[in-house]
Amino acid sequence: MRLRTRTHLFFFSITIMLALGGISRTAFAQVPDPGTVGPFAVTREEYDFGDTAFTATNFPGPIELRASIHYPTNLAAGPFPVILFLHGRHATCFTGGGSALLQWPCTSNNSQPIPSYQGYDYVSEVLASNGYVVVSVSANGINAVDNAVFDLGALARAELLQKHLDILKQFNTTGGAPFGTKFVGKFDLTRVGTMGHSRGGEGVVRHYVLNQESGSPYGIKAVFPLAPVDFNRFVVNNAALNVLLPYCDGDVSDLQGVHFYDDARYNVPGDQAPKHYELIMGANHNFFNTIWSPSSPFPGSANDFLAFVQGGHSDEQCGSGKNSQRLTEAQQRATGLAYLSAFFRVYVGGETQFIPILTGDAPPPASAQNTNLFVSYHAPDNPELRLDVNRLLNNTNLTANTLGAAATQTALSPYSLCGGSDPQPPTCLPGQPNARQPHTTPSARSTARGLSQLITGWNNMTGNYRNDIPNALGNVSGFQALQFRVSVNFADARNAAGLAQDFKVVLTDASGSSSSVRVSDVSGALYFPPGSVGPVPKVVLNTVRMPLTAFSGVNLNAVRSVQFVFDERFQGGVLITDVAFASAPR
Amino acid sequence: MKRNLMNRPLAIAIALLPLLVGSFAFAQRNASPTNKELPLREIIKLPGKLLAETKTTGPTGNLKLTGYRVEEVALSPSVSTQVRGQQVNANKAWRVTVTGGPFPVRAMPAVIWIDDQIVGYGIENETLSQITAVTFDDSLIHDGGVVSLSYGEDKAGRTRIAQKLQLKGGNQ
């Protein structure tokens, strides 16, 4: 009974928040939908050079060279940008009796390969119809033995992708079997995007690094890890990054892939590449791949939160009850398709009209079939696009912010940093499982620490967190928004279970004029993290972007402070980082 | 043509050593406590001496665990590796195999534990009925130890096998 009440309260608050968020987003209602079928007719073919055609460095098994290729049937309009897909770890073979196997090649009992690489055809078709060549690579040979190598297959996956790019280069230059000269001059290998799912997600990141180490023979413009693992903590610098995080992931249930975003933010000075992630509240791990989903005819498929999380069926958010917020297979794929398409069409195809979808300034497009998601955005390191107010990276930032001005607090407790490098505590929610605090979850093959965050809270309505702005930097009128990342700390008893939090952000100018905006007026990010079984609830710091136009009556040419005023609720506890003025990429 | 590795244990051991040395050198550059357990497919195929084996009365937990097997594997010549932070020349390894399933093939690796210590990341067999991890730390292999399995280093999510380790000579 109590659970049900909490559930209703939560969904009521989320509904209100989304509705309010929608109000501020109406200005972007004209953003076109990136997930719809485009003008090109599409042809699908495959190439296959055999189950054992490739050998990766120090890798203990043979790997196939097989892929599907979706392309605009009328190639005359080429060359087309190229998108590569790489599936993740899954059973490799199946028998007629319905058993899944882990071997390569498939040799037992007339077993056949499980075609995991075909599981993203629904994305490939839409992208190809909009003028992209999409190649989806089979990696069963890696899956069969990757637990036997130290990096758990990351380098092998990277090398496999590079090999396929070499093959595409041959198709594009001299041609070759099985396509002859059909594709000569039709691929633009200076504009390449990569998407990897699960272990494939780390694979595309590792590939980006490998391509760089090789002198960047291919122009990797955009990297999209989808529900990825991040065992080794490689970082994508200077290329657009988008991580998709399924809240109800039952496999990579600690959402460790958020490290890709967290690690890349301030890693390279002058990094002009934007970084994004989406937290999809009702999504699981497997439904993004049709072959891995329960509707698939192949063995080894699973509804992972239900199959892998003990007691998962009973979770009110991710379980199987009638009030569960889980997406259907079709809804989940629609959401994935929308954001995959938006990302690649912006950063590989230059179709900048979709940027507001990726910054969260525009609502999810209709094709996503889902509005229960949160978009985070980190602007390029460009003084015209981002002014970091407080990165909250070290203890100095508790008293002096990134701009060198004062950072102060009133009536906040605690007021400390967690999750980052020593001497910060390695986690922010002591006693909670790693899976419930993704930003600090340990990595299997790296000792790198997690996201440095301000952990704070208030016990009455006088709580205040203030960052001063130096006079010389007070002209923020050129930026679109004041933004920060935040999560309600579900482990802080001051937050009422199931109820959204709220506070105000106040800008004050040189004349002393102030203007405030409630977080709930622009964002639903202060939801109480839902769920109660296994890896949920969990804290994920979502970006709140407050349009500066909302701060009426304050002189944006001379802002002197940014304050978080905690007077909307009697008490509460939150985690905060990345306070900045920022604009969308150009 | 498929090589029959099972018939050539000595050749495998010789071929394996450079890999092991290289792997452990790499592990030493990384301080993660999990680095020491790097399992290699070949070591699983070396002949071993059975130290303990049990079968449960019925499948246990979501993962339907049915038992475990602990074996000692001789390495000749010895290999240099780290055990509990100390550089040692190991001339033995211990294989812990958990049976049950069929186990799912997941992104997160299977992890085998004894008590609260990680034995290693597991490698599934082809039919997904066994998962095996390797350790060079003999202190993990002791009477009364509780064998369990998780995916990822999820201590709270482990499935335990009720029957505790009972070793057949040595390692008590």
Side-chain angles (χ1 to χ4, degrees), chain A residues 60 89-91 100-103 145 147-150 152 198-199 229 231 250-252 254 256 307-310 444-445 447, chain B residues 26 30-32 34-35 37-42 62 104-109 121-128 157-159:
Chain A
R89 192 163 194 266
H90 191 72
L101 301 173
L102 190 64
Q103 61 176 197
V145 290
N147 276 1
V149 294
F150 180 79
L152 299 164
S198 193
R199 285 203 191 183
V229 300
F231 298 136
D251 189 343
V252 189
D254 59 5
Q256 58 186 264
F308 301 158
V309 175
Q310 289 189 33
R445 300 306 196 207
T447 56
Chain B
F26 183 40
N30 295 271
S32 167
T34 60
N35 291 351
E37 46 68 26
L38 179 68
L40 295 171
R41 195 165 62 147
E42 290 81 359
N62 273 8
V105 180
R106 292 178 48 175
M108 294 302 281
Y121 283 12
I123 299 176
E124 304 95 334
N125 68 347
E126 291 189 349
T127 58
L128 300 170
R158 289 178 290 177
T159 302

Side-chain angles (χ1 to χ4, degrees), chain A residues 178-208:
Chain A
F179 302 123
T181 58
K182 177 166 59 179
F183 291 130
V184 171
K186 302 306 179 188
F187 303 155
D188 183 353
L189 293 170
T190 69
R191 292 191 295 162
V192 176
T194 57
M195 182 284 285
H197 183 189
S198 193
R199 285 203 191 183
E202 183 172 55
V204 294
V205 170
R206 184 68 184 88
H207 170 257
Y208 178 77

